[in-house]
Every structure is written in C-alpha cells, then in structure tokens.
C-alpha cells in the first residue's frame, strides 16, 4: 500500500456487529463473560479495549512495525520505556530533548538509580565514549525540540546493536509521514500522539511501536500494570487524525518551507533553525532519513532582547501563543518559559536554547496569511 492508502485504512475494519465504517467508541470499563475465563478476548478495559486495539493496530501499520501500544500521554509512553530498566542501568540521550522528557529522566528516574548521560547526538561518534556494560538504552529525538538538530538514526542503531542496547526514537516532530525509525534499525518508536498524529489540538496521548514480540510483551505488561492507558474517545480521535496525516503533513511541509525562507530573508531576523536549509549542519542526514522537512522551526531576532521576543510573541494574530505543536492551526511558543521551562537555565543556555528563542509550529492555513501575520508582528 502507498502512504495515503495506508494512513486511511490502517487498523480499521468495519465494525463486526453493525458494519459501522468508523471504529465505535467502546465506552465501557468491563466486558460480560460467559463463564469464568470464557470471554471474547476482552476482560477489563485497562488491559484491552476494542477502540484502543484498532488504534494500536493502526499505529503499527503507519510506523512499519508489528505492534503498537497507546498511552494516556507522550510522557506516559516514555515512562513505560524507562520502566524496562533496572537500578544501575545507564541511558545515553540527547542534551536538547523536549523539556518534559528531561524532567522525567532527571526528577523521576534518576532517583531510582538509573543513570542518564545527556550528550550532543549530532555526531553519532560522540556516543561511543559513554557506552559501557551497563548501557541498556539509547534515546534519541530527531529533529529535536526546539533546535531542529538531526541525529543519524541508522548510525546510532548500528552503535546500539553493537552494544546490545535498545534504541528508542522520539518521532514526534517528524511523524511517520516523514520518517520511520524502525526501518532504520531502531527498536522502539515513541510518539506524543497529541501532536501530528491527533493533528487537531484536541487530545493528549502517546504511542510506542516495535517489531520484537518479547519487547511488546514487556511493554504491554508495563502498560496494563501501571495503567497509563488512553480512554476510548481519545483513541477514536487519534484514529481519525491518522486518516488525514498525509494530506496535513504535505501542507505542513509546503507552508514550513515558505515560512522558513520568509523568516531567513526578513531583515529583523538573526537566525532560523529549520532542517530543510541546505546549510543546516546535518542537512544531508535529514535528506537521507526524512521524506521532507516539516513545519517546525525556531528563530531569533537581531534585537536579541527578551523584551523584543516577548513583543513578537504577543503580537501575532493567526499564530496562537500556546504550548504544543502539530495541529492544523499555527502556534507560536517561547521555549524558555513554556515547553522547556523545566530545564535549568544554565543547561538550556549551554545547549543553545537562549531566552529569546521563538518556536513556530506552522499549521495548514494559507501560507500568505501566515507570513503576513509574522511580518506584522516582527515589524
Ligand atoms: C518531542 C516531544 N516528545 C514528547 C512530548 C510529550 O508528549 P505529551 O505532551 O503528549 O505527554 C512532547 C510534548 O510536547 C514533545 O514535543
């Protein structure tokens, strides 16, 4: 199946009881059993739900994997992956990840004795010096949030295999339309489905996709034991979102390219971070592992004061000032005080995330309206 057909039909069969073309929202907590242990494959909704099952099958299909698991948020999906580990285990991860991932690692899991190495992942060779017999997981986010750094997934997958460690890729920014990490050798793909998969800023959800049956069993056990499962209505929304992912992403990419070039040519803009520029430090890797470059970007102004950045952030009309990304509507965000506020300032600045950085999630409106809105706000 080609991409569009795959996204529309992934995981969905007409409902066997009525023929409903859309998977029903099975709003139930439990299932009546004929006799103890005799049931239709569903016992209790924390463990199984038909709407969630359809979504999990769709997640597997769109990431070219065998198994999908849906969680109540992106961080709940990340949390499940780290719960595969034991005290003393080590993780190598990027030093410019999403702030909530960093917070989960530093504030929750470090105290359980898991050691995290936060390193520059733009050059895969940096990883080797942190590998040892305790390394159990390499965690990458590419492109990164918000600096659009790119990591070579295939190169890191080779390193992870050599070290007998798992590789998990946070594919939230790219979405499966642009990049499929399992095809490049990753063991697990993670998503904040809240973003492009849902696509309409109306749901919080997370996902994991994998190929290995044993790994699926371990993660399913964590999912049902810890209980961070999404409700059936939310599963329905993400299932519906997936059906239009390819058309939305196509427009996100077209608009992203227009807005990135507009910003780069604007006399008041100092620097634009977007992985589709040919002079992006890892452009060649982005071109190799992604099908296009998406609608996420960040920029700074020549008058690099926090006051000037705040003025721009408060002056757009179409770009709504809000956390999150990947919805049909364009958003503008101030990472230092919003999405990345949980990273200590010194750490943030050291890794290039300055106080005046502005992040955009370019939506699928008409590009001309978007550039006009930015032009008026930047002044
Ligand atoms: C790259 C990335 N990973 C993970 C998350 C966490 O996802 P959620 O907010 O759905 O828990 C986010 C949220 O912004 C994100 O941007």
């Amino acid at each position: 199946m080609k991409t569009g057909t795959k996204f529309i039909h992934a995981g969905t069969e007409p409902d066997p009881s009525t023929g409903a073309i859309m998977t029903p929202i099975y709003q139930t907590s439990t299932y009546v059993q004929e006799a103890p242990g005799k049931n239709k494959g569903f016992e209790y909704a924390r463990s199984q739900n038909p709407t969630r099952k359809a979504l999990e099958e769709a997640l597997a299909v769109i990431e070219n994997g065998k198994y999908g698991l849906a969680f109540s948020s992106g961080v709940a999906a990340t949390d499940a992956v780290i719960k595969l580990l034991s005290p003393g285990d080590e993780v190598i991860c990027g030093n410019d990840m999403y702030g909530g991932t960093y917070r989960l690692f530093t504030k929750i899991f470090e105290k359980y004795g898991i050691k995290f190495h936060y390193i520059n992942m733009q050059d895969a060779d940096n990883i080797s010096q942190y590998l040892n017999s305790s390394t159990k997981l390499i965690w990458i986010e590419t492109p990164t949030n918000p600096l659009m750094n790119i990591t070579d997934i295939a190169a890191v997958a080779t390193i992870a295999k050599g070290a007998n460690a798992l590789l998990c890729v946070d594919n939230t920014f790219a979405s499966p339309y642009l990049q499929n990490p399992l095809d490049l050798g990753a063991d697990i793909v993670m998503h904040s489905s809240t973003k492009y998969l849902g696509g309409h800023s109306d749901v919080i959800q997370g996902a994991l996709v994998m190929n290995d049956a044993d790994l699926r069993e371990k993660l399913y056990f964590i999912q049902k034991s810890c209980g961070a499962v999404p409700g059936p209505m939310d599963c329905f929304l993400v299932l519906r979102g997936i059906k239009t992912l390819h058309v939305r992403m196509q427009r996100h990419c077209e608009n992203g390219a227009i807005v990135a070039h507009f910003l780069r040519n604007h006399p008041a803009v100092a620097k634009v971070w977007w992985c589709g520029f040919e002079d992006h430090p890892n452009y060649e890797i982005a071109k190799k592992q992604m099908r296009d470059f998406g609608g996420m970007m960040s920029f700074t102004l020549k008058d690099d004061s926090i006051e000037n950045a705040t003025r721009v952030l408060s002056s757009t009309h179409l770009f709504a000032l809000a956390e999150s990304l990947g919805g049909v509507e364009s958003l503008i965000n101030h990472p230092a005080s919003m999405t990345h506020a949980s990273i200590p300032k010194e750490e943030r600045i050291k890794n290039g995330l300055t106080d005046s950085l502005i992040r955009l999630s370019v939506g699928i409106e008409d590009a001309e309206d978007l550039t006009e809105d930015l032009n008026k706000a930047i002044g």
Side-chain angles (χ1 to χ4, degrees):
M1 269 193 275
K2 298 241 181 336
T3 312
T5 318
K6 192 168 78 172
F7 287 171
I8 289 172
H9 293 281
T12 46
E13 294 288 335
D15 182 52
S17 55
T18 62
I21 191 159
M22 286 303 297
T23 307
I25 299 160
Y26 282 90
Q27 194 73 49
T28 188
S29 60
T30 193
Y31 310 87
V32 177
Q33 310 197 16
E34 226 175 280
K38 200 165 169 207
N39 56 59
K40 297 183 166 69
F42 298 93
E43 293 157 309
Y44 184 60
R46 176 159 35 76
S47 306
Q48 313 98 354
N49 176 283
T51 321
R52 195 172 93 215
K53 184 166 179 279
L55 170 64
E56 291 180 335
E57 282 167 13
L59 291 166
V61 171
I62 64 173
E63 274 295 8
N64 299 339
K66 285 202 181 122
Y67 310 102
L69 291 170
F71 292 83
S72 55
S73 67
V75 291
T78 304
D79 176 88
V81 174
I82 307 302
K83 284 175 177 160
L84 290 167
L85 308 178
S86 304
D89 287 348
E90 297 192 12
V91 180
I92 302 174
C93 54
N95 60 9
D96 63 341
M97 303 176 291
Y98 165 59
T101 308
Y102 178 84
R103 179 175 59 196
L104 180 67
F105 291 178
T106 52
K107 295 284 194 292
I108 306 289
F109 283 111
E110 280 185 8
K111 68 175 185 240
Y112 290 108
I114 294 169
K115 187 168 177 186
F116 295 85
H117 300 275
Y118 306 96
I119 71 162
N120 181 333
M121 287 272 189
Q122 290 156 66
D123 181 358
D125 292 341
N126 282 346
I127 296 173
S128 310
Q129 58 189 298
Y130 296 92
L131 287 170
N132 61 54
S133 57
S134 300
T135 311
K136 294 290 157 42
L137 175 70
I138 302 181
W139 181 278
I140 58 180
E141 195 182 292
T142 180
T144 58
N145 178 358
L147 289 171
M148 305 305 297
N149 286 319
I150 301 288
T151 300
D152 187 335
I153 299 173
V156 179
T158 305
I159 294 168
K161 289 220 164 32
N164 231 353
L166 292 172
L167 171 62
C168 181
V169 179
D170 181 338
N171 204 25
T172 301
F173 259 43
S175 92
Y177 176 81
L178 295 181
Q179 176 174 280
N180 297 112
L182 296 180
D183 292 347
L184 301 169
D187 299 288
I188 309 171
V189 177
M190 176 265 158
H191 279 281
S192 167
S193 317
T194 314
K195 312 296 167 9
Y196 288 108
L197 297 186
H200 294 77
S201 310
D202 50 12
V203 67
I204 293 284
Q205 203 175 115
L208 298 176
V209 183
M210 67 248 52
N211 276 320
D212 184 80
D214 186 44
L215 189 55
R216 189 262 171 201
E217 279 321 298
K218 286 182 183 149
L219 288 164
Y220 171 63
F221 184 79
I222 293 168
Q223 183 201 40
K224 76 172 180 190
S225 304
C226 298
V229 290
M233 175 74 192
D234 289 356
C235 292
F236 171 85
L237 288 172
V238 175
L239 204 46
R240 186 169 71 167
I242 288 172
K243 287 179 187 291
T244 55
L245 182 66
H246 54 299
V247 273
R248 287 186 285 109
M249 285 309 294
Q250 207 177 341
R251 181 66 86 87
H252 281 297
C253 292
E254 286 164 16
N255 283 359
I258 293 170
V259 172
H261 285 98
F262 159 79
L263 287 172
R264 184 170 248 199
N265 293 326
H266 196 288
V269 171
K271 182 165 177 187
V272 185
W273 286 259
W274 180 62
C275 58
F277 288 136
E278 286 183 17
D279 57 359
H280 180 288
N282 274 346
Y283 174 76
E284 288 306 324
I285 296 167
K287 214 166 84 167
K288 184 181 73 169
Q289 67 189 20
M290 298 170 73
R291 297 182 188 93
D292 206 332
F293 305 106
M296 292 304 301
M297 65 199 66
S298 297
F299 67 100
T300 47
L301 299 159
K302 281 194 182 141
D303 169 1
D304 191 27
S305 63
I306 183 73
E307 292 76 19
N308 196 30
T310 306
R311 183 189 59 77
V312 172
L313 284 155
S314 322
S315 315
T316 52
H317 294 290
L318 279 176
F319 280 87
L321 177 62
E323 300 206 9
S324 202
L325 61 108
V328 289
E329 59 288 289
S330 294
L331 299 182
I332 191 165
N333 171 280
H334 181 228
S337 68
M338 297 166 79
T339 44
H340 292 66
S342 48
I343 302 178
K345 185 168 174 165
E346 323 75 72
E347 278 299 309
R348 239 193 327 101
I349 306 270
K350 201 170 76 191
N351 299 323
L353 205 170
T354 57
D355 280 346
S356 56
L357 190 81
I358 297 172
R359 189 190 80 182
L360 297 180
S361 168
V362 177
I364 64 170
E365 301 95 333
D366 288 294
E368 224 173 289
D369 290 329
L370 297 179
T371 50
E372 197 182 307
D373 191 35
L374 289 169
N375 202 27
K376 281 196 186 130
I378 295 170

